Amino acid sequence: MSRPVVVFGGAHIDRRGRIEGETVMGASNPGHFISEAGGGGFNAARALSRLGNAVRLVAPRGGDEAGESVAAAAVEAGIDDRPFVFLDRVTPSYTAILDRDGGLIVAIADMDLYRLFTPRRLRTLSVRAALDGAGAILCDANLPVETLATLAEIAAELRLPLAAIAISPAKVVRFRPIIDRLDWLFMNAAEAKALTGASPACPAEWPAILRGVGLGGGIVTGGSGPIVAFEGEAAAMLTPPHLDIVADVTGAGDATAAGFLSAWLRGTPLTEALREGVAAALITLETPSATAAALSPDALKSHLPLVPVAKMLS
């Protein structure tokens, strides 16, 4: 097994309510809820583990039943869980309402605990131990700005690749102070717009725009539209295949990040790493869970023929 990916970021309870019929705003809608461990960092960590990567997870949580559920889910996924537990605090949560097609209507993020994950915690012996022998660092924008800056310093000191997940348009701006120190940033078009202030007519314009703000490598997804990846001067784009049924969109972006990063760390070329990221997302979109239990190297291989060849952009 390759050197472990150390993941810093969100690991909390993810609740999603799905409306069964037409959405009626301002009224009671028939539907159902599911609850599971989630968070950008956690979703990516679980997907990376299921794809055969060694993964260590460093994330804060409360000393409550929800925190125990996150810990149990990490163990079940084969993740080396190394949390900071605040016994007197509540584990963060994300509650989303989805329409019958799985699209997000509105969500509430109760993430106050992440403010306590301060830079000094990254200099503790436990974090040093978690980083021992690591092959890469993956973080998400649930962490405070100062903590992300310190994490970038540590990645530079250890000469480790640093990848990041945008999380939301409101949070992706936390990466601005360290944008030139990220090897990869995974985001959707709304998050890329929040980061850059740009709104290009064609997705193929994103690499030049993101290079302009100092980003060395990134992926911009567009829902069912084209997805673009770039690294340095190289850039590639493909349009994901149409799915007749989407069980839930939650976690698809995190799966893309995990699939791509897993491939890139093996030395896979940009175009093929992009296809593996899309294949991982397809598997996730087919299930109601934020990370597909069926995700595996074999499942990824079986879905790759569904993904078009990526086109290199000039």
Side-chain angles (χ1 to χ4, degrees):
M1 187 175 284
S2 60
R3 293 194 296 163
V5 179
V6 185
V7 180
F8 295 84
H12 48 254
I13 292 298
D14 190 347
R15 305 183 185 94
R16 298 189 301 284
R18 185 159 181 167
I19 295 171
E20 294 175 353
E22 289 289 342
T23 301
V24 181
M25 302 303 294
S28 176
N29 289 262
H32 61 275
F33 263 94
I34 63 171
S35 179
E36 63 179 342
F42 184 85
N43 291 340
R46 185 154 54 177
L48 282 165
S49 181
R50 287 174 174 166
L51 288 172
N53 301 275
V55 181
R56 297 171 186 164
L57 176 65
V58 182
R61 70 189 59 140
D64 53 9
E65 185 177 346
E68 294 174 359
S69 296
V70 174
V75 171
E76 184 275 333
I79 296 169
D80 183 355
D81 188 30
R82 306 193 183 195
F84 283 106
V85 179
F86 297 85
L87 294 175
D88 60 339
R89 299 282 180 160
V90 175
T91 297
S93 65
Y94 172 81
T95 303
I97 303 299
L98 310 175
D99 63 27
R100 66 179 180 183
D101 296 321
L104 178 66
I105 297 174
V106 69
I108 297 176
D110 182 359
M111 306 290 175
D112 194 55
L113 182 66
Y114 292 129
R115 294 188 300 105
L116 301 182
F117 197 167
T118 57
R120 67 182 180 84
R121 295 189 179 276
L122 293 176
R123 298 294 184 181
T124 61
L125 290 175
S126 62
V127 171
R128 290 180 187 176
L131 288 166
D132 184 38
I137 294 174
L138 174 64
C139 63
D140 73 28
N142 283 307
L143 303 181
V145 174
E146 318 84 63
T147 305
L148 293 171
T150 301
L151 196 55
E153 293 173 5
I154 291 172
E157 291 167 8
L158 299 177
R159 297 183 180 181
L160 292 175
L162 178 60
I165 297 173
I167 297 297
S168 71
K171 291 181 179 179
V172 68
V173 295
R174 296 177 183 178
F175 289 120
R176 279 179 180 161
I178 61 167
I179 194 71
D180 59 339
R181 287 183 276 177
L182 296 177
D183 292 278
W184 293 102
L185 178 58
F186 302 96
M187 67 204 110
N188 60 33
E191 291 155 352
K193 180 179 179 180
L195 181 67
T196 64
S199 186
C202 176
E205 298 176 41
W206 278 124
I209 293 168
L210 290 163
R211 290 187 195 107
V213 297
L215 185 62
I219 284 186
V220 182
T221 61
S224 60
I227 176 172
V228 182
F230 76 96
E231 182 180 21
E233 294 304 312
M237 182 171 73
L238 67 81
T239 299
H242 172 74
L243 290 178
D244 292 330
I245 298 176
V246 174
D248 195 329
V249 299
T250 306
D254 304 326
T256 301
F260 181 93
L261 191 59
S262 180
W264 182 78
L265 288 171
R266 299 195 313 269
T268 305
L270 180 69
T271 52
E272 289 306 302
L274 178 58
R275 293 183 70 236
E276 291 197 27
V278 172
L282 293 178
I283 296 169
T284 302
L285 288 167
E286 291 170 351
T287 81
S289 176
T291 54
L295 183 62
S296 68
D298 286 343
L300 193 73
K301 186 177 180 179
S302 71
H303 278 68
L304 271 176
L306 303 175
V307 183
V309 174
K311 175 185 177 182
M312 293 298 295
L313 301 175
S314 59

